[in-house]
């Protein structure tokens, strides 16, 4: 079965395989390649990135993956910018996988438009971590410490602010290779050549490879609906980890019953700093709008060693079931371990839409019902 559907799928599959092999085997051994994969939405960036990861693992055994697409991330729920280290090839290029990242930041939205500056600081901070921990060692006799290649997955938003963000990423990273997926719909494509260097100094000797996109005529409404469904599936799969592995799930009602039965973890409000990432609520009212939302969890003791970013690393997501202000308590469910939760003193508020099966187990539903009764 080919990687790309429709007419000419075999040719595209062969073209993709040749591009991945050229990056992995035509480059010198040292330093390993740093590869950015970019192109319009629904062009096959994720599928090609997985193929490239598999090919690079075949040569280097370990490969880093920097995911900058907060709307359709590869290995995390939506809203994250994350860095992973992979050592095993992916057998099924179509499956949804969740993997614990090496490091991650929680952006709290599925697009860059609200705060592109914050998103870029997160991406730069993760790239700095990669350089410090995974790329600057010459201990080739120790595979755990030798430098490894990096694959960067980018957003499909390639116009306006999206193009600006992509250009800033490429200028900061200075990749050795850029893979550009090209659609037959010319208006959707990125500019030709090393567009990110226009008017800026930089190394134009980058290896630029153009390959055909997996789909040339996406049905936009269907694609948007599918994107929302995939985001919900990733969030549900993430919080499904709160339930026993053998818990039977055959419907949304099963999930609602399972989530409702979870004994929530309790955080003291007096200990918690709420960071409103996108300035949605002012002042002390922030606690009034936490119930029924998905939040990022962080600790002020977990700060990156980067001049580009001072925000703490995120250790996971939580769903706020209730906030008891008189009782000084936040009730949340999360798959994060209690050992990690003991150090939590920061909550990142988000704009991420909550799946229905989670929203039904929060006090927010009861609050709305009471208000309707009053009216």
């Amino acid at each position: 079965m080919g990687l790309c559907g429709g007419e000419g799928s075999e040719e595209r599959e062969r073209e993709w395989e040749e591009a991945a092999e050229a990056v992995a085997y035509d480059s010198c051994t040292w330093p390993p390649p740093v590869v950015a994969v970019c192109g319009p939405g629904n062009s096959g960036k994720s599928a090609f990135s997985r193929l490239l990861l598999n090919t690079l693992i075949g040569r280097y055994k370990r490969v880093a993956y920097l995911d900058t697409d907060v709307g359709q991330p590869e290995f995390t729920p939506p809203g994250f910018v994350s860095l992973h280290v992979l050592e095993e090839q992916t057998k099924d290029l179509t499956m949804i996988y969740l993997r614990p990242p090496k490091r991650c930041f929680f952006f709290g939205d599925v697009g860059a438009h609200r705060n592109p500056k914050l998103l870029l600081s997160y991406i730069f901070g993760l790239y700095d971590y990669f350089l410090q921990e995974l790329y600057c060692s010459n201990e080739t006799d120790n595979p755990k410490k030798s430098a490894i290649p990096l694959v960067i997955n980018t957003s499909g938003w390639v116009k306006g602010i999206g193009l600006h963000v992509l250009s800033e990423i490429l200028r900061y990273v200075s990749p050795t290779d850029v893979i550009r997926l090209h659609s037959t719909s010319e208006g959707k494509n990125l500019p030709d050549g090393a567009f990110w260097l226009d008017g800026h100094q930089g190394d134009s000797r980058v290896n630029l490879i153009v390959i055909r996109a997996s789909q040339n005529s996406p049905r936009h409404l269907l694609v948007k609906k599918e994107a929302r469904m995939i985001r919900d599936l990733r969030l549900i799969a993430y919080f499904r980890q709160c339930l026993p592995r053998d818990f039977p799930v055959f419907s949304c009602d099963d999930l609602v019953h399972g989530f409702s039965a979870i004994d929530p973890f309790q955080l003291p409000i007096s200990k918690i700093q709420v960071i409103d990432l996108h300035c949605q609520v002012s002042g002390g009212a922030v606690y009034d709008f936490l119930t029924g939302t998905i939040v990022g969890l962080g600790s002020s003791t977990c700060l990156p060693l980067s001049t580009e970013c001072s925000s703490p690393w995120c250790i996971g997501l939580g769903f706020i079931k209730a906030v008891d202000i008189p009782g000084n308590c936040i009730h949340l469910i999360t798959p994060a371990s209690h050992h990690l939760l003991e150090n939590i003193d920061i909550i990142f508020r988000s704009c991420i839409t909550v799946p229905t099966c989670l929203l039904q187990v929060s006090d927010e539903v009861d609050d709305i019902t009471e208000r309707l009764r009053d009216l």
Side-chain angles (χ1 to χ4, degrees), residues 253-266:
D253 287 342
D254 293 334
L255 286 170
V256 172
H257 293 320
F259 291 144
S260 299
I262 295 174
D263 187 18
F265 190 83
Q266 298 179 357

Side-chain angles (χ1 to χ4, degrees), residues 17-29 31-33 35 48 51-60 63 149 177 179 207 209:
E17 289 173 348
E18 290 174 355
E21 290 173 0
V23 170
Y25 293 101
D26 291 355
S27 59
C28 59
T29 304
V35 192
F48 179 79
L51 172 65
L52 180 58
L53 286 169
N54 283 351
T55 308
L56 287 167
I57 288 173
R59 178 179 181 183
Y60 291 95
V63 181
D177 304 82
I179 309 295
N207 180 29
I209 301 176

Side-chain angles (χ1 to χ4, degrees), residues 20-193:
E21 290 173 0
V23 170
Y25 293 101
D26 291 355
S27 59
C28 59
T29 304
W30 186 268
V34 173
V35 192
V37 180
C38 51
N42 202 46
S43 60
K45 294 185 300 298
S46 293
F48 179 79
S49 293
R50 289 193 183 192
L51 172 65
L52 180 58
L53 286 169
N54 283 351
T55 308
L56 287 167
I57 288 173
R59 178 179 181 183
Y60 291 95
K61 310 307 178 188
R62 299 171 72 233
V63 181
Y65 183 78
L66 175 55
D67 201 337
T68 70
D69 187 352
V70 292
Q72 296 294 332
E74 189 67 11
F75 299 124
T76 68
F80 279 98
V81 182
S82 58
L83 179 69
H84 303 257
V85 176
L86 308 177
E87 300 181 3
E88 296 180 357
Q89 294 178 329
T90 302
K91 295 180 181 179
D92 188 341
L93 299 179
T94 64
M95 288 287 291
I96 292 179
Y97 290 91
L98 289 179
R99 296 176 182 268
K102 184 81 171 176
R103 289 288 188 277
C104 67
F105 291 111
F106 185 58
F107 181 64
D109 201 356
V110 297
H113 58 283
R114 292 180 191 267
N115 200 338
K117 185 177 179 180
L118 177 66
L119 179 61
L120 284 170
S121 73
Y122 285 174
I123 295 168
F124 296 166
L126 282 172
Y127 183 67
D128 289 348
Y129 176 86
F130 165 75
L131 291 180
Q132 294 162 6
E133 300 294 329
L134 300 168
Y135 200 68
C136 289
S137 175
N138 248 323
E139 298 182 46
T140 54
D141 58 330
N142 185 344
K144 292 294 183 183
K145 292 188 176 181
S146 60
I148 61 177
L150 174 68
V151 176
I152 304 170
N153 183 42
T154 62
S155 169
W157 186 21
V158 295
K159 301 297 179 183
I161 295 175
L163 180 61
H164 166 73
V165 169
L166 176 60
S167 298
E168 290 293 321
I169 293 171
L170 295 176
R171 278 196 287 270
Y172 191 85
V173 170
S174 296
T176 59
D177 304 82
V178 173
I179 309 295
R180 183 165 66 87
L181 285 99
H182 184 85
S183 167
T184 55
S185 302
E186 288 297 334
K188 301 182 182 303
N189 288 316
L190 286 162
D192 293 333

